[in-house]
Amino acid sequence: MLGIPFTVAPAGVEERMHPAESPRRYVERLAREKAAAVAAAHPGALIVAGDTIVVLGGRVLEKPADPADAAAMLAALSARAHTVYSGLALARGKTVATGVAVARVVFHELGRDLIDRYVETGEPLDKAGAYGIQGYGSALVREIEGDYFTVVGLSVAAFVTLLPELGLEYRPGEGVVGR
C-alpha cells in the first residue's frame, strides 16, 4: 500500500506471554524479539516486525487453537468492546525502535449462525481475537476508536513515527529513504 518493496521472513519466535506481563509490554517484547531474530540473518536490511493481540475484560485473545475456540472467542466479543494492542519493532543493524499502538473496537451483536458461517470461511483461524477486520470480519465491527491499521496488525502511523529513530523517513512515491 505504501509502495515499499518487502520480503517476508518468519522469525520463529515463541509467542508466549510471561506471568504478570502487561498486554502492551507483551506485544512490544514479541515484536522486538522477532525483529532481532530476522535482523541477525539479514544484516543491514530494514526489518519490520510486529505482533497483535486482542484483550477482552483482561483476558488476552491470541490466535484461536481451532474452529471451536474461534467460535467461543467471537461469542465472547459479541456486543462488547475490546482493546487491540499492536506492537511494532523496526531494526536496522544494531539499532531497534519499538512502539505499541492501541485501538478500541466494538462488535455488533453476533448470532450463532453468523459466527458459524464466519468461522467456516477459515479467516478467523490465524487472527488474534479470531477476526480479520480487513476481510469478512469487517461486518462484525460496529465501531473503532483509534487507528484502523492497528486493528489490521501494523500501525502505519507507528511505522512512520519510528523510522526517524533509525535515520530514515517515509516519502510518498519514493518509499523509505535515509534522512
Side-chain angles (χ1 to χ4, degrees):
M1 178 180 79
L2 296 176
I4 303 169
F6 65 93
T7 302
V8 176
V13 170
E14 182 181 11
E15 298 183 16
R16 185 174 306 266
M17 194 169 190
H18 294 160
E21 189 172 36
S22 72
R24 177 181 294 273
R25 187 131 170 88
Y26 175 49
V27 295
E28 188 170 28
R29 175 182 58 81
L30 282 181
R32 180 183 294 277
E33 288 176 4
K34 289 175 181 181
V38 175
H42 301 278
L46 170 61
I47 306 301
V48 180
D51 196 76
T52 301
I53 58 172
V54 169
V55 179
L56 176 67
R59 179 177 160 224
V60 174
L61 305 178
E62 296 192 65
K63 295 175 185 172
D66 54 38
D69 191 28
M73 285 184 192
L74 293 165
L77 292 167
S78 177
R80 296 182 66 192
H82 59 275
T83 306
V84 177
Y85 292 84
S86 188
L88 180 65
L90 306 182
R92 185 175 180 215
K94 295 192 185 276
T95 305
V96 179
T98 64
V100 177
V102 181
R104 181 178 173 272
V105 179
V106 181
F107 268 22
H108 292 287
E109 187 168 340
L110 309 178
R112 189 72 211 176
D113 186 55
L114 176 60
I115 291 171
D116 290 344
R117 286 177 186 271
Y118 180 54
V119 171
E120 286 173 10
T121 70
E123 183 177 271
L125 300 180
D126 69 342
K127 308 280 190 291
Y131 74 97
I133 195 168
Q134 69 277 27
Y136 300 125
S138 61
L140 311 178
V141 176
R142 189 177 81 209
E143 66 184 71
I144 301 172
E145 289 177 19
D147 175 30
Y148 166 82
F149 295 106
T150 294
V151 184
V152 171
L154 191 142
S155 169
V156 174
F159 172 74
V160 170
T161 301
L162 291 173
L163 284 171
E165 293 185 39
L166 302 174
L168 302 169
E169 67 181 335
Y170 173 73
R171 292 185 188 155
E174 295 180 51
V176 175
V177 298
R179 296 181 79 192

